[in-house]
Amino acid sequence: SNKRQAASQAKPSRVKSTHSTRLTSVAQLHWCKMTDKGKRQYLWLIRYGRTHPGLVENFGPYDSDLHDPDGIAHAEAIGRRLASCGDAPSVPTIVYSDPFLRCMRTADVIVHTLNESRKSGGGTVTDGLSMDAIKIRVEEGTTEWQVPSLLVDPNGERTNPRTTEDLAAMFSDTVDASYHSVNAQGPDRKENDVSDEGRPCFPETEDQLHFRCASTLKKILASVGNSDALAIVGHAPCVQSMAMYLEGSASPVESKLGPWSLGGMTLFSRPVVAKGGETSAWTLELYSDTSHMQGEYKAGKLGQWSLPSFVKE
């Protein structure tokens, strides 16, 4: 099991969220038929499954790979779920990933699954979407929350993720080596420095994390436009923060979002508007859904994690 898993499992009573359960039960039945709503854009936020060795906060290790076989099977289940609608507009054609290894391994499995599905489907894709192989865009703006408890070991050594160049060598057939982060890692913050450009900088308060994730998402969406479906693979703090931005909440206090499960998938959609038109608000279709997961992970209780300010007593 994973580090954040242990922390959240120890106090299950702190986690109260009927919101995610309700969303899952309603949307699960017809999430593949969302074309009924007219032309829409879809955005998936995905957390990886089981890792090995499991990460322990304030101890590490902080750049674990997926557990083999469990974590790999979780990533495969996520990939199959994304691909299961064939050429429906909710199938991602663009995939972003946090540069940490567990996220990258998950994205690698997802991209392989999506590309195989496109090939086996005869290469027909609707709405004029490109049939080029999907590649991973390594995005530093979606990196792990920049706090000591998630990056610094007891000896004071900080873990930094691999560079895009290193990751492109590791995942040579799936990483887009030509992609440059829209919100690159910034220099460390100096003590008492309150200026904030919305870049990931160490250390980072929760408010700075929210500003950074919103800034990253705005830049991603500006570069992608409002037609292609996309998926972002990341850690619980960042995907939860991005979900809050898409939900339209100004802060966790007014947000209805709860904790995020291992392998949890969240889906937002919005109407596609004509070029130059006003973009519409996003609608939350699924939140931290784990119906694709296997065995004891299917219920979504294992490895739930939440940013502190989202926890409702």
Side-chain angles (χ1 to χ4, degrees):
S1 117
N2 198 293
K3 116 301 178 154
R4 291 184 178 135
Q5 293 157 242
S8 53
Q9 282 175 272
K11 295 186 179 177
S13 60
R14 291 179 65 210
V15 173
K16 295 178 182 174
S17 177
T18 54
H19 185 68
S20 59
T21 307
R22 179 177 58 79
L23 281 167
T24 299
S25 59
V26 171
Q28 204 172 304
L29 300 173
H30 55 263
W31 72 279
C32 232
K33 299 177 183 174
M34 293 188 205
T35 42
D36 298 346
K37 296 184 177 182
K39 198 169 182 185
R40 299 180 74 82
Q41 180 181 28
Y42 296 88
L43 193 162
W44 294 90
L45 297 172
I46 297 162
R47 186 182 174 209
Y48 51 82
R50 185 181 177 190
T51 63
H52 182 78
L55 193 159
V56 178
E57 292 190 29
N58 293 301
F59 186 81
Y62 298 114
D63 198 17
S64 299
D65 205 340
L66 291 183
H67 181 280
D68 188 5
D70 292 1
I72 299 294
H74 295 157
E76 288 169 346
I78 292 167
R80 285 193 300 273
R81 182 170 185 181
L82 290 172
S84 64
C85 285
D87 62 2
S90 58
V91 179
T93 57
I94 301 170
V95 175
Y96 291 88
S97 179
D98 169 319
F100 278 84
L101 186 55
R102 50 202 180 276
C103 298
M104 287 296 303
R105 185 77 64 190
T106 303
D108 177 67
V109 172
I110 287 171
V111 162
H112 272 297
T113 306
L114 289 173
N115 286 331
E116 283 302 313
S117 174
R118 284 150 73 101
K119 278 188 211 163
S120 63
T124 55
V125 169
T126 57
D127 298 331
L129 296 177
S130 168
M131 268 308 294
D132 292 339
I134 298 168
K135 296 272 190 179
I136 303 166
R137 298 179 179 182
V138 183
E139 178 51 58
E140 293 176 6
T142 65
T143 194
E144 174 68 286
W145 188 15
Q146 302 287 287
V147 289
S149 63
L150 299 178
L151 294 172
V152 181
D153 71 17
N155 297 320
E157 292 291 319
R158 192 194 328 166
T159 298
N160 293 309
R162 291 167 174 82
T163 64
T164 298
E165 187 178 16
D166 290 340
L167 292 167
M170 284 183 74
F171 303 100
S172 57
D173 54 345
T174 54
V175 168
D176 180 355
S178 67
Y179 177 76
H180 297 285
S181 291
V182 294
N183 197 16
Q185 180 85 30
D188 287 2
R189 281 189 175 86
K190 294 184 173 63
E191 200 172 348
N192 303 320
D193 182 6
V194 293
S195 64
D196 197 346
E197 300 170 9
R199 294 169 70 184
C201 299
F202 182 90
E204 186 176 54
T205 65
E206 191 176 318
D207 283 345
Q208 287 165 336
L209 170 73
H210 295 319
F211 185 51
R212 183 250 291 187
C213 289
S215 300
T216 301
L217 209 41
K218 286 175 191 172
K219 290 177 179 180
I220 285 174
L221 291 170
S223 67
V224 166
N226 72 337
S227 57
D228 285 338
L230 59 152
I232 301 173
V233 182
H235 290 84
C238 202
V239 290
Q240 191 179 36
S241 181
M242 287 190 283
M244 183 185 78
Y245 170 75
L246 294 171
E247 180 192 33
S249 297
S251 73
V253 175
E254 64 179 63
S255 173
K256 295 190 176 97
L257 304 179
W260 206 297
S261 303
L262 276 180
M265 299 174 70
T266 290
L267 177 63
F268 284 87
S269 75
R270 67 178 177 182
V272 172
V273 295
K275 198 166 185 178
E278 183 103 4
T279 53
S280 302
W282 291 91
T283 299
L284 181 57
E285 308 285 357
L286 297 166
Y287 184 75
S288 186
D289 187 63
T290 51
S291 58
H292 54 283
M293 295 283 276
Q294 303 100 332
E296 59 185 350
Y297 291 89
K298 195 178 187 74
K301 299 296 184 191
L302 276 179
Q304 279 191 335
W305 196 92
S306 179
L307 284 160
S309 58
F310 280 89
V311 177
K312 311 287 196 293
E313 293 297 341

